[in-house]
Amino acid sequence: MADSLSTANGAPASPEGDDGVRRRDFIHVAAVSTAGVGAVAVVYPLVSQMAPSADVLAASSTEIDVSAIEPGQAIKGEFRKQPLFVRRLTQAEIDEANAVDVSSLRDAESLADRTKPGREDMLVTMGLCTHLGCVPLGAAEGENKGEYNGYFCPCHGSHYDTAGRIRKGPAPTNLAVPEYEFTSDTVIRVG
């Protein structure tokens, strides 16, 4: 009686096929592939639920029409539920900001560092004092603009110049400049 693992000519049969792949290898590959697809099917809903909702995505950028802002005026907007100041500087304010020795500032930035090239007249800053997060005055008509004709935080006495740079008081840094771009000559997209 012939051994069950022998071939017709009497040589022992190999558990591998002609190309060296065993039946067990195929079963392992199929099992691992099925487990991988199952893992993705379980994990994907858990990960996708952590994505921001539609209302959060809508608030992630803000468009502001700046066509009505005259030189010397500022408007208040809102970006991510925080105040945003947009100011069109006069030529005198630009000259005054450029005349300051940047090395003498606590947070050394020039006006060119804080504005877009070719648009030095438009200053966009977050409206939060960098000391404790108060909202400085100076963006609305008739508000106290402080000693440097920019913004003034009455809570603790921080004074900012026309470029939103800290000049006096406890605030450690300049008013933050958010990421923004001009989508046209009259519209700014923040965020």
Side-chain angles (χ1 to χ4, degrees), residues 3-87:
D3 187 12
S4 62
L5 289 177
S6 61
T7 60
N9 64 4
S14 170
E16 298 180 2
D18 291 339
D19 59 354
V21 177
R22 299 180 306 177
R23 209 177 284 167
R24 184 171 289 167
D25 292 339
F26 173 75
I27 292 170
H28 283 132
V29 169
V32 169
S33 299
T34 303
V37 169
V40 169
V42 168
V43 171
Y44 180 76
L46 297 174
V47 172
S48 67
Q49 66 138 355
M50 292 187 279
S53 61
D55 61 334
V56 171
L57 288 175
S60 67
S61 67
T62 301
E63 288 195 353
I64 298 176
D65 182 7
V66 295
S67 61
I69 305 174
E70 296 294 324
Q73 289 183 330
I75 61 169
K76 293 179 183 179
E78 188 175 291
F79 174 59
R80 296 181 182 162
K81 298 184 180 185
Q82 296 181 347
L84 179 76
F85 296 159
V86 180
R87 173 179 260 168

Side-chain angles (χ1 to χ4, degrees), residues 95-116:
D95 295 340
E96 181 182 330
N98 287 333
V100 174
D101 179 19
V102 176
S103 65
S104 70
L105 298 174
R106 184 179 309 165
D107 187 8
E109 284 185 306
S110 68
L111 179 61
D113 294 335
R114 301 179 55 75
T115 58
K116 296 292 180 186

Side-chain angles (χ1 to χ4, degrees), residues 146-171:
E147 294 179 19
Y148 297 93
N149 202 29
Y151 301 100
F152 172 66
C153 184
C155 301
H156 299 100
S158 293
H159 296 261
Y160 299 89
D161 66 8
T162 58
R165 301 175 297 195
I166 184 64
R167 299 293 296 275
K168 181 180 179 184

